[in-house]
Amino acid sequence: MKKMKKIEIILESVYLNRLIELFDIKEISGYTIIRDVEGKGITGIKSADEITDVFTNNYVFTVCDEDKLMNIVEDIRKFIKRYGGRCIVSDVSWVL
C-alpha cells in the first residue's frame, strides 16, 4: 500500500470552477465532485433543495502524494479565506 494524502473541500458551487482551476495549476489531475451536499456547520443549515444551485454546497476530494500537498496547501488556505469553505487533510493508503 502506498501512503498518500486526501484533501477534502466543501465549498459553495459558485466557486467550484475556481477551485478546479487551482487544481489544474498545481497539477492535481484527479478529483471527485459530489454536488448538492447538505449539512449544518458554523454558517447554519445548507439544504440541497434550493431553486438554483448557486448557493448549494459541493464536496470535492482528491488524493495526492505529500509533495503535491505541500505545493497546494497554502493556496487552498488562501482560497478558503477569500471564498469560504472548509478543508480537511488526512492520511490515506492506496490499495493496489
Side-chain angles (χ1 to χ4, degrees):
M1 289 191 291
K2 184 175 180 182
K3 299 247 183 224
M4 304 291 282
K5 298 293 184 179
K6 182 178 183 184
I7 304 169
E8 301 173 81
I9 301 170
I10 297 175
L11 73 160
E12 288 186 352
S13 62
V14 70
Y15 302 118
L16 180 61
N17 287 337
R18 292 176 186 183
L19 179 65
I20 300 310
E21 287 173 9
L22 175 61
F23 280 5
D24 288 342
I25 290 167
K26 295 298 184 170
E27 298 179 351
I28 302 290
S29 59
Y31 51 85
T32 299
I33 300 168
I34 301 173
R35 298 180 189 278
D36 300 328
V37 295
E38 296 183 69
K40 182 178 179 184
I42 62 170
T43 59
I45 295 174
K46 279 289 194 174
S47 177
D49 62 356
E50 300 290 330
I51 294 172
T52 69
D53 69 345
V54 173
F55 298 109
T56 60
N57 277 340
N58 290 297
Y59 169 81
V60 180
F61 77 90
T62 187
V63 176
C64 62
D65 60 34
E66 192 163 3
D67 290 339
K68 283 201 177 184
L69 172 70
M70 293 298 111
N71 187 34
I72 196 172
V73 73
E74 188 57 36
D75 293 298
I76 291 173
R77 183 176 285 117
K78 290 175 186 176
F79 181 95
I80 288 173
K81 189 172 186 176
R82 181 171 186 181
Y83 301 114
R86 294 287 178 256
C87 178
I88 299 168
V89 176
S90 54
D91 294 324
V92 295
S93 296
W94 280 116
V95 178
L96 303 173

